[in-house]
Amino acid sequence: LSLEERLARYVVEGTKDGLFEDLDEALKKYTPLDIINGPLMAGMDEVGRLFNDNQLIVAEVLQSAEVMKASVAYLEPHMDKAETHTKGKVLLATVKGDVHDIGKNLVEIILSNNGYEVVNLGIKVQPETLIEAVRKEKPDIIGLSGLLVKSAQQMVITAQDLKAAKIDLPILVGGAALTRKFTETRIAPEYDGLVLYAKDAMNGLELANRLVN
Ligand code: B1M
């Protein structure tokens, strides 16, 4: 197998035997983000497919998630860090009912490596918890992540609840179940402030940079 195929395989098989040596090897050729968005994500997509086909059980997907998390943690010190003043504060959450946090945590790493102060509220965050945190932390941007189809709907509800609480800070949304179209036609109309869709973590950083400048 090629290096790229081996990297994807660690994720699919949920094994770390040889993983870190291969990550070191990959770092000679690729940037950390290219490794994550390329072979590791390809592995995760395969896991999603196999799971959908009932060829994997949740416990196995959890092991794959563990490999992904360990890889991201291993690569993190190698990522570019901007030596800048604090650009702004971002409150991050995976929405109510959703436990997926690998993408959100990647967004946290990328934002904090690029001058943002990030308050990560974790997973299954109820709108009320988010509203309380907005009042306490006074962020510049609210970032919401969700991977389930029902999470997209939950973002609509969250936007309505934020609006009812008279909050109109920019919201950045991302996650596999979302699209730009859904964001623009279903979430944004329910909210007074801006709602922007980020297709990946880097795009999240670009949008955040545009928002705070
Ligand atoms: Co689940 N899961 N899962 N899962 N899981 C999916 C999402 C699914 C598509 C798999 C499938 O069936 N093909 C499917 C959703 C179906 C649907 O609703 N359409 C699914 C399901 C069904 C479920 C359960 C319901 C399974 C069950 O229990 N029967 C259950 C849900 C529990 C719940 O949430 N209430 C469940 C559980 C789990 C595990 C716990 C086992 C595990 C998560 C572990 C964890 O996160 N700690 C898991 C995993 C790993 C996946 C897949 C395989 C991989 C997700 C992932 O981590 N990708 C996933 C299939 C897939 O996506 N291919 C699947 C890697 C990550 C880096 O990508 O999070 O998309 P992602 O983030 C991307 C972008 O989306 C974006 O940036 C990142 C890239 O740079 N992004 C943002 C994300 N958030 C952002 C926020 C931003 C900006 C960008 O700004 C704020």
Side-chain angles (χ1 to χ4, degrees):
L1 291 186
S2 69
L3 174 63
E4 293 75 12
E5 287 164 338
R6 290 202 300 277
L7 287 169
R9 198 192 54 182
Y10 293 115
V11 177
V12 176
E13 293 183 355
T15 166
K16 293 183 202 158
D17 285 341
L19 169 70
F20 302 111
E21 291 81 353
D22 274 346
L23 286 174
D24 282 335
E25 193 63 33
L27 280 168
K28 294 179 191 154
K29 289 212 276 186
Y30 302 111
T31 67
L33 264 186
D34 286 341
I35 301 170
I36 294 169
N37 289 329
L40 297 176
M41 273 303 256
M44 260 314 188
D45 285 343
E46 178 65 11
V47 170
R49 261 193 303 279
L50 291 170
F51 182 54
N52 219 7
D53 266 11
N54 291 319
Q55 294 189 49
L56 289 179
I57 57 171
V58 170
E60 291 169 318
V61 181
L62 265 177
Q63 275 179 309
S64 299
E66 193 39 53
V67 172
M68 186 76 173
K69 285 190 172 189
S71 305
V72 172
Y74 190 78
L75 294 171
E76 205 251 347
H78 299 275
M79 289 185 194
D80 290 338
K81 288 180 191 55
E83 302 285 331
T84 58
H85 59 284
T86 305
K87 290 187 198 161
K89 190 171 185 178
V90 182
L91 201 58
L92 272 187
T94 298
V95 294
K96 179 180 169 186
D98 195 328
V99 304
H100 297 88
D101 66 355
I102 299 176
K104 167 182 64 66
N105 294 344
L106 191 57
V107 174
E108 172 180 18
I109 290 173
I110 287 171
L111 288 176
S112 41
N113 279 348
N114 287 280
Y116 288 87
E117 183 187 347
V118 178
V119 179
N120 189 338
L121 298 176
I123 57 172
K124 298 203 272 184
V125 176
Q126 307 263 356
E128 308 83 76
T129 312
L130 188 66
I131 291 166
E132 252 172 61
V134 170
R135 296 206 166 115
K136 177 164 167 261
E137 303 288 348
K138 304 191 180 5
D140 301 290
I141 300 170
I142 300 169
L144 300 178
S145 179
L147 267 71
L148 302 170
V149 166
K150 69 171 186 185
S151 301
Q153 194 51 42
Q154 183 56 44
M155 289 196 190
V156 175
I157 297 169
T158 305
Q160 289 167 337
D161 289 350
L162 287 167
K163 179 178 170 173
K166 309 233 174 320
I167 292 165
D168 62 1
L169 294 168
I171 305 179
L172 202 59
V173 296
L178 277 181
T179 58
R180 181 181 310 280
K181 184 160 178 244
F182 186 91
T183 305
E184 286 170 1
T185 60
R186 302 288 307 283
I187 310 177
E190 303 297 328
Y191 190 61
D192 282 338
L194 269 178
V195 186
L196 298 178
Y197 168 74
K199 72 174 185 341
D200 58 28
M202 266 327 263
N203 186 214
L205 171 66
E206 287 154 15
L207 293 171
N209 284 342
R210 262 190 259 159
L211 287 171
V212 296
N213 281 327

